[in-house]
Amino acid sequence: MKIDLPRYEKIWITFGIGTLAAFLIIIGVMAFTMDLHPPGDNRTIIPEAISITPPFDKPGLYPSGSRNYKAAIVAKTFTFLPTEMRIPAGSTVHFEVTSPDVVHGLMIPGTNVNMLVVPGRITQFTYTFKHKGNYYLICNEYCGSGHQLMASRLIVE
Ligand SMILES: [Cu+2]
């Protein structure tokens, strides 16, 4: 069967299908090679009980192997706990973050660490810090009058 389409119709159909294919390829490459994907786990926590629920009762950086750390971070108005962490260069940090109050964000400029921190949920992400320097954990979800003060520091030495 031969469908006789006008020339411009063929061009637009080709353009539409081509654009769709390009987007699907870009999303596929990003998902599989850059490990970008929506959070797939549903670890929950009672926001009112964060101060008595391990590991968030003692926020901090805990070694979990050689050059491996687990960071238990509480994001709350208007600070991150702990306020400072130190790791040697080449270390892998598994972040576990939660909030007792409102929705916060946790992003580290210069890396692909970018998490949405929702009360009642534990957001997780793993990143390897290859280069020395000062990294700042900043809140990128507007959370109130002190939002711009919300930051803590990760020193890679
Ligand atoms: Cu915040």
Side-chain angles (χ1 to χ4, degrees):
M1 184 178 86
K2 188 175 187 308
I3 302 171
D4 205 20
L5 289 170
R7 187 168 159 258
Y8 285 118
E9 199 74 28
K10 286 178 187 165
I11 291 171
W12 279 111
I13 288 172
T14 307
F15 177 76
I17 292 171
T19 310
L20 180 64
F23 280 126
L24 289 174
I25 289 166
I26 290 167
I27 290 170
V29 168
M30 287 174 74
F32 293 106
T33 67
M34 298 166 72
D35 199 27
L36 296 179
H37 51 77
D41 51 356
N42 278 325
R43 283 182 62 197
T44 57
I45 187 168
I46 300 165
E48 295 79 19
I50 282 174
S51 60
I52 54 167
T53 307
F56 302 104
D57 55 339
K58 293 188 185 74
L61 194 64
Y62 298 97
S64 60
S66 85
R67 291 192 183 261
N68 268 285
Y69 295 88
K70 193 170 114 176
I73 297 173
V74 175
K76 61 179 187 178
T77 50
F78 296 103
T79 185
F80 288 105
L81 296 175
T83 54
E84 193 174 290
M85 297 177 278
R86 280 174 190 274
I87 54 168
S91 298
T92 299
V93 180
H94 178 71
F95 294 93
E96 291 191 354
V97 195
T98 192
S99 162
D101 41 46
V102 297
V103 172
H104 295 282
L106 193 171
M107 86 173 279
I108 305 179
T111 71
N112 67 342
V113 179
N114 190 349
M115 295 181 263
L116 188 66
V117 186
V118 181
R121 291 286 180 87
I122 298 170
T123 308
Q124 304 181 77
F125 194 75
T126 303
Y127 186 78
T128 301
F129 293 86
K130 295 184 182 123
H131 307 291
K132 294 181 181 181
N134 285 324
Y135 293 83
Y136 292 93
L137 284 66
I138 59 172
C139 181
N140 61 357
E141 282 294 324
Y142 182 73
C143 56
S145 60
H147 166 70
Q148 75 280 2
L149 305 171
M150 202 170 157
S152 83
R153 187 159 64 149
L154 175 69
I155 301 159
V156 181
E157 49 195 12

